[in-house]
Amino acid sequence: MIVPDLTNQFFAMVTEGVQKAASARDVLVVLVAPAAAEQPEEKQAQLLRRQRVDGVVYLSGTGSLPAAIHEIARSGPIVLVDEKIPGTGLPAIVAESRKGARAVAAHVLEQGHRNVAVIGGPMALWTARQRLAGYREAFAGAGLDPDAVPVIAGDYQQESGQRIAAELLAADPRPTALICANDLLAIGAMEHCREVGLRVPEDVSIVGFDDLPLSRLLTPRLTSVSQPAREMGYRAAQALFELLDAGEVGPVADLPTTVNLRDSVCPPQEST
């Protein structure tokens, strides 16, 4: 399994699902984490190829397929998880990112927010593009011009959310809500608010995506979109075994997402 970064709880939970499915078949999982090894995906893929593994579960951190992974695909099966990579034809196990994003943005708008901004993910990634598309659908459905809503793309990391929140919240008038493409971005945005004395949600409502276990422990607890990370990993491993056993994978529906409403959103206050 290739995963970009195990410090992200979501990626770690996907990996747990892969390991659970593999253990049930007495299959050994070789875990490759390019960020932890301080090596690019291409270098790690070359090392993996020399191990002569039977197949690969690939969670892309770049939205592309390194040349070495292409070589592995010619000799063995590959299943994508969490990300689709258009043009590759590879099977992918993903969640309903667009639907979940539309639902969480609609919740923010239903609370009365109209001056909102988006902290997006890296646009090279399918998930980031799907989530932005879902937000824009919600904006249009509420009568807002999607092109008029400020969007700044981050890198799915907490520091990025903190930096972009500072930029967006410096606007006059200040946005009353920040819609963040993952929980780490949202946590970074909340940290910036604490630093400058803005209250969440009274001054700024904030929502995330992924519903990491950490999100329920924050103050305030973060409203977020839950996707079944462990189930995604489990299904990806099962799909890989289908490819190894039968040479093909049957139809796989995108896994459902749900919005977990907590304490980080409230109606905009008069003062804002």
Side-chain angles (χ1 to χ4, degrees):
M1 179 172 184
I2 300 178
V3 59
D5 180 9
L6 287 175
T7 62
N8 185 320
Q9 285 183 314
F10 175 77
F11 295 157
M13 290 188 291
V14 173
T15 302
E16 288 177 17
V18 171
Q19 181 63 55
K20 181 178 179 180
S23 296
R25 291 195 30 150
D26 291 327
V27 170
L28 176 67
V29 177
V30 178
L31 181 62
V32 178
E38 297 183 347
Q39 291 179 322
E41 285 184 331
E42 180 70 28
K43 177 66 174 177
Q44 290 287 288
Q46 291 172 0
L47 295 172
L48 190 62
R49 186 180 65 239
R50 290 201 289 268
Q51 297 298 315
R52 299 187 179 183
V53 296
D54 295 311
V56 174
V57 174
Y58 183 53
L59 202 167
S60 174
T62 63
S64 62
L65 207 62
I69 296 291
H70 273 294
E71 292 182 30
I72 293 174
R74 286 198 288 268
S75 59
I78 293 181
V79 173
L80 306 176
V81 61
D82 186 47
E83 290 285 343
K84 291 182 180 180
I85 302 180
T88 63
L90 295 175
I93 308 298
V94 298
E96 296 174 331
S97 282
R98 188 168 184 160
K99 183 176 180 180
R102 183 171 62 245
V104 77
H107 168 66
V108 171
L109 298 169
E110 287 164 1
Q111 296 302 302
H113 294 275
R114 287 300 178 268
N115 183 11
V116 301
V118 174
I119 302 179
M123 287 299 108
L125 295 180
W126 178 86
T127 55
R129 297 194 300 272
Q130 288 291 299
R131 291 170 195 179
L132 181 57
Y135 300 148
R136 288 172 61 86
E137 289 171 354
F139 300 151
L144 296 181
D145 178 3
D147 293 332
V149 176
V151 177
I152 300 180
D155 63 4
Y156 279 159
Q157 299 297 319
Q158 181 174 335
E159 294 79 7
S160 178
Q162 193 169 355
R163 172 180 53 79
I164 295 172
E167 182 175 350
L168 290 170
L169 294 175
D172 186 14
R174 185 180 67 228
T176 62
L178 296 178
I179 298 172
C180 303
N182 81 346
D183 285 358
L184 293 181
L185 292 170
I187 290 168
M190 292 174 72
E191 179 62 23
H192 169 72
C193 290
R194 280 192 290 271
E195 288 179 351
V196 299
L198 292 174
R199 300 167 300 164
V200 179
E202 294 86 354
D203 298 322
V204 184
S205 290
I206 296 177
V207 297
F209 201 111
D210 285 340
D211 197 29
L212 302 179
L214 174 63
S215 302
R216 300 159 222 172
L217 305 177
L218 300 172
T219 303
R221 298 179 306 151
L222 181 66
T223 289
S224 185
V225 179
S226 175
Q227 50 180 347
R230 293 182 180 87
E231 180 69 12
M232 290 166 67
Y234 189 88
R235 296 256 192 118
Q238 287 187 318
L240 184 62
F241 297 145
E242 285 185 41
L243 282 172
L244 289 167
D245 294 340
E248 61 181 1
V249 179
V252 181
D254 293 353
L255 299 181
T257 54
T258 56
V259 178
N260 286 328
L261 304 178
R262 298 194 180 96
D263 310 320
S264 63
V265 178
C266 73
Q269 304 298 298
E270 290 286 336
S271 61
T272 59

